[in-house]
Amino acid sequence: MEQKWFKDEIFHYEGLDYVEKKRRMINMQSLLLKKLSDYFLEEGFRWILPVITSKITDPLWPDPGSSIEKRIEFEIYGEKVRVTQSMIIHKIIVCSLFEQKIFTFSPNLRIERSERRNTGKHLYEFTQLDFEMRDSGSRDVMSFVERILKRLFKDLIESGIYRKEMECINEDWEIYDSNELENKFGKDWENLVSGRIDCPVWVVNIPREFYDYQDRITGRWDNYDLYLPDIGEVLSGSRREISYNRIIEKMFRDGVKTENFRILLELSREGKLKECAGAGIGIERLLAWITGEKDVSDVQIFPRIPGIVNYL
Ligand code: ASN
């Protein structure tokens, strides 16, 4: 594939308009990062730096929403390491062993299939505001998220940045079960929901990776995603699975290799994993939603569109 400077070489052809657009985006990005980090720090979270390479990363499997075509693995110092797909395992460990509440702005590399280049919602490199809370459950995380996002919307409206749906700050956001949505919209519910809502909505009980808590008897998943109008899923998280037997059982069920998760398994066998819950907010999607950009890559200074490798 021919290499590009930026998407459509717009940087060369559209000159100043393009530069001005990117500058506005950088300003908004800077404002958003400042506000979010202020809210987290004020709520008592500790800010940690991200990891880029590790022997352990999120398997992103099984997950109905994922389309990973390649997991990046290489050798350093004679050891095989992976590039972070999400810091989920690190978050659970830090939260269990060291600090009650933590957050990080974590770059994630997810080599999505090229077919996703036109969705306007997928990137092969993006950043999540990933956080974790000890002694907490789903309700705690969901109400915390509503609190900070409503605060953000209110602050944005006050600074003259407006979207109609930002007015959804005086009500509780609705909660739908993924089964209910599948019955209503079919298997493709994830892509249809965002076009049919006027306020942010929660979707719960979504079958996916071993680290999300699943009730052994009912089979119900204690997890949640937040959908925003137009842009779709902007946050995903769960109460965590900390029981050694359950983690092992689910890894076998899903064909996830246990040797890749040795430390996590040791800690859970020794009873050192604490009850915790958390989530990750997709920064680029949130920014695209706030600015009304149709394509999430437009908010990146150096776009990372699936299937397209730029010069920068
Ligand atoms: N950040 C998500 C969580 O906290 C995990 C992910 O990105 N796959 O559950």
Side-chain angles (χ1 to χ4, degrees):
M1 185 185 304
E2 192 204 342
Q3 298 228 328
K4 299 220 167 168
W5 181 231
F6 284 142
K7 188 169 63 138
D8 301 328
E9 296 184 337
I10 198 168
F11 188 81
H12 289 310
Y13 297 126
E14 292 188 16
L16 277 180
D17 284 352
Y18 183 69
V19 171
E20 194 42 42
K21 191 175 159 195
K22 285 289 171 198
R23 284 191 52 220
R24 279 206 299 271
M25 203 52 73
I26 292 172
N27 285 341
M28 266 309 299
Q29 181 176 309
S30 185
L31 179 76
L32 179 64
L33 296 178
K34 169 160 174 38
K35 288 205 176 293
L36 291 172
S37 47
D38 282 351
Y39 303 156
F40 273 76
L41 293 169
E42 281 168 31
E43 295 260 357
F45 282 76
R46 294 279 181 257
W47 189 345
I48 64 166
L49 291 173
V51 290
I52 309 282
T53 58
S54 175
K55 294 188 82 65
I56 293 184
T57 195
D58 191 332
L60 293 179
W61 172 262
D63 183 342
S66 144
S67 83
I68 301 300
E69 74 169 34
K70 190 175 193 170
R71 287 168 170 75
I72 305 301
E73 226 179 49
F74 55 96
E75 213 181 272
I76 46 174
Y77 311 116
E79 296 281 347
K80 217 192 272 167
V81 291
R82 285 144 213 260
V83 179
T84 299
Q85 297 201 117
S86 102
M87 272 180 62
I88 181 69
I89 308 297
H90 295 81
K91 284 197 306 174
I92 297 174
I93 292 176
V94 176
C95 197
S96 294
L97 300 186
F98 310 130
E99 277 290 344
Q100 190 92 21
K101 299 203 266 185
I102 49 124
F103 75 101
T104 180
F105 289 98
S106 163
N108 290 185
L109 189 71
R110 299 185 182 176
I111 311 302
E112 304 270 2
R113 289 203 301 270
S114 304
E115 296 93 273
R116 285 198 160 173
R117 82 172 55 176
N118 293 323
T119 64
K121 290 180 186 158
H122 293 95
L123 299 168
Y124 69 85
E125 215 180 286
F126 70 98
T127 299
Q128 11 180 350
L129 195 187
D130 226 355
F131 64 94
E132 202 67 21
M133 299 153 59
R134 192 194 296 165
D135 300 328
S136 299
S138 298
R139 290 285 155 175
D140 303 306
V141 175
M142 289 162 82
S143 63
F144 165 70
V145 168
E146 283 202 25
R147 189 162 71 245
I148 57 154
L149 288 184
K150 285 173 180 173
R151 186 171 167 199
L152 174 72
F153 296 171
K154 193 163 160 285
D155 283 359
L156 290 174
I157 293 174
E158 276 165 17
S159 11
I161 299 152
Y162 182 77
R163 271 192 70 114
K164 185 169 59 51
E165 301 92 353
M166 286 178 187
E167 287 177 12
C168 304
I169 46 180
N170 296 317
E171 52 203 85
D172 287 337
W173 295 343
E174 284 181 49
I175 304 175
Y176 295 96
D177 189 295
S178 72
N179 288 328
E180 196 185 326
L181 294 174
E182 195 170 323
N183 289 339
K184 198 160 162 196
F185 298 122
K187 286 253 174 270
D188 201 25
W189 63 265
E190 288 201 55
N191 295 323
L192 298 173
V193 170
S194 59
R196 320 268 167 117
I197 53 178
D198 300 319
C199 276
V201 299
W202 291 100
V203 181
V204 296
N205 186 27
I206 310 148
R208 56 186 178 210
E209 291 88 351
F210 72 84
Y211 49 76
D212 282 12
Y213 182 87
Q214 185 186 17
D215 189 283
R216 183 186 232 128
I217 305 190
T218 60
R220 225 187 128 69
W221 293 80
D222 196 0
N223 56 15
Y224 37 83
D225 283 358
L226 183 71
Y227 278 72
L228 293 180
D230 302 332
I231 201 92
E233 186 216 301
V234 76
L235 168 147
S236 113
S238 76
R239 169 186 170 189
R240 307 307 177 190
E241 195 75 78
I242 58 169
S243 137
Y244 176 74
N245 289 339
R246 277 302 275 160
I247 297 179
I248 286 281
E249 220 172 274
K250 287 161 91 184
M251 283 181 164
F252 279 122
R253 177 185 77 188
D254 301 340
V256 172
K257 285 190 194 135
T258 52
E259 64 265 30
N260 293 345
F261 297 91
R262 221 191 68 217
I263 303 290
L264 182 83
L265 289 168
E266 275 171 22
L267 289 170
S268 72
R269 195 174 39 216
E270 292 164 8
K272 290 193 175 132
L273 294 185
K274 304 261 168 60
E275 280 294 343
C276 57
I281 300 175
I283 292 295
E284 289 84 350
R285 285 190 186 174
L286 181 57
L287 192 54
W289 182 78
I290 291 169
T291 54
E293 287 298 339
K294 293 278 164 287
D295 194 317
V296 78
S297 69
D298 285 336
V299 310
Q300 290 186 305
I301 307 172
F302 305 112
R304 296 291 185 258
I305 303 163
I308 301 177
V309 177
N310 292 317
Y311 276 121
L312 278 180

